Amino acid sequence: MSDFLKTAAYLGASQECKAARVALFGCPYDGTASYRAGARFGPAAIREASQVLETYDLRTKIDLDNCAFCDLGDLEISPGDKTGSLSQIETAARDLLAEGKIPAALGGEHLISLPLVKAAHALFSDMVLVQFDAHLDLKDKYLGDRLSHATVMRRVADFLPPSRILQVGTRSGTLEEYEFSRKCRNLEANAEDIPRWISNRPVYVTVDLDVLDPAVFPGTGTPEPGGVSYGILEDWLLSLTGQNIIGWDVVELAPHWDPTHVSSIVAAKVVRTLMSLTAVC
Ligand code: MN
Ligand code: MN
């Protein structure tokens, strides 16, 4: 098992993972943040903000108090060591998957999804991926770097056929990215289309919180105007009810860019929704 730094747990999560189906862990890595850094503080801010949330989720009718899920703490990551960080994350996810658990990662920047999806793909070769994001993240290189939060889905497409990537809520990319994105599936708003597209295949879910409008979620590294409301994102997530979710992550909260801390609460609530969809209750 990987080394984790013990932290305060998310919303009453157990720190004992034996009985849990979903295992949360923080990946405080933001080494390639290209504009506003600070996503390394995301996991701690999500846990702190979770204290204001109820454990009962009105929409799913699930009370997390009755569910088995755990919070392992944060991986001991050095943000200056990209290769090391990515391999630590992949190992942690592989270990959890091997134990039959659902890895649930708190970012961190979006590049952390690459090792997480790799680990899931090693076990579920027929998997599909749903990405909620303002950005396509399909650049082949960004600032000369092939491994960046701006290239993460392009790197995923190196091993997962792009036809198995569904991008939801995207509104920003280069012409080259939009050309590449024709190989993926792109969706603007229709929640019912998401389960139809998944069609019962094992699904990994990545939520880049900048999919939300900056008015709802300013606390992020690369805010992109023209995003959706919280309610629409929640409808999209709830459309995943009953799907075989094999792993998920919530990324790109950079809490210090929002002095009101509402962004952290939004992120904590997105985590609660995903948790109530995946924990055994
Ligand atoms: Mn984004
Ligand atoms: Mn992204």
Side-chain angles (χ1 to χ4, degrees), residues 110 131-137 149-150 152 208 210 251-252:
H110 211 165
Q131 171 200 3
F132 300 96
D133 204 328
H135 308 95
L136 293 171
D137 293 347
H149 69 143
V152 59
D208 180 336
D210 66 27
V251 299
E252 296 287 357

Side-chain angles (χ1 to χ4, degrees), residues 76-109:
E76 293 194 57
I77 275 172
S78 160
D81 177 6
K82 178 157 68 178
T83 318
S85 300
L86 297 183
S87 95
Q88 272 173 279
I89 296 168
E90 187 172 338
T91 303
R94 276 179 190 264
D95 289 350
L96 291 168
L97 287 161
E99 288 174 27
K101 300 197 189 300
I102 297 173
L106 307 176
E109 59 155 87

